[in-house]
Amino acid sequence: MDVLSNFLTLGIVFLLTLAFGFWLSRIGKPYNGVLFNIHKLLALAAVIVAVFEIRKMLQSDGATPFYGVLIALTGVSIIALFATGALMSIGKLNYAVSLTIHKAAPILATMTLIAAIYLSYL
């Protein structure tokens, strides 16, 4: 039950991060400082909770090489989210490309993390 509640916490924080991200995108630039910082802090909290849970799963006997690939893809997606978020906020590179990656990365991260969780509890 502890694992389920931790992933439920992760899901709630992730959904709140998405909600604040949508809210920010609707308001547009310049970003509201309070909303922007809440969005960033929620994203960081989600990453911290996920890292602790992934670490627990990696220490289990059921971790396979495919599981490692899924976790690596999740990590790359999270890095892409932070990088594109930073690039969009400071106005570097092509905004449309950064936004597309910023919208696609959470989908990939969610799919790979769910697959990894599923594999770890088979």
Side-chain angles (χ1 to χ4, degrees):
M1 187 65 179
D2 184 43
V3 172
L4 181 60
S5 67
N6 289 340
F7 280 111
L8 184 60
T9 301
L10 176 60
I12 290 169
V13 173
F14 180 70
L15 289 175
L16 285 171
T17 304
L18 286 175
F20 276 92
F22 286 127
W23 193 3
L24 280 168
S25 69
R26 296 293 176 238
I27 292 172
K29 282 188 163 189
Y31 295 125
N32 178 300
V34 173
L35 295 178
F36 187 62
N37 285 321
I38 290 171
H39 174 70
K40 290 189 300 185
L41 291 172
L42 284 169
L44 182 60
V47 168
I48 291 169
V49 171
V51 165
F52 280 111
E53 290 309 307
I54 289 168
R55 189 174 147 259
K56 287 179 193 176
M57 285 189 276
L58 285 173
Q59 291 174 343
S60 72
D61 294 335
T64 64
F66 184 62
Y67 178 78
V69 169
L70 290 171
I71 295 304
L73 285 172
T74 302
V76 168
S77 299
I78 298 302
I79 291 168
L81 277 167
F82 277 94
T84 56
L87 291 172
M88 287 188 305
S89 69
I90 61 174
K92 297 292 181 184
L93 294 180
N94 186 328
Y95 184 83
V97 171
S98 296
L99 183 61
T100 301
I101 294 169
H102 201 73
K103 287 181 176 181
I107 296 167
L108 179 62
T110 301
M111 290 175 18
T112 55
L113 188 57
I114 288 172
I117 293 166
Y118 178 76
L119 284 178
S120 68
Y121 292 105
L122 275 180

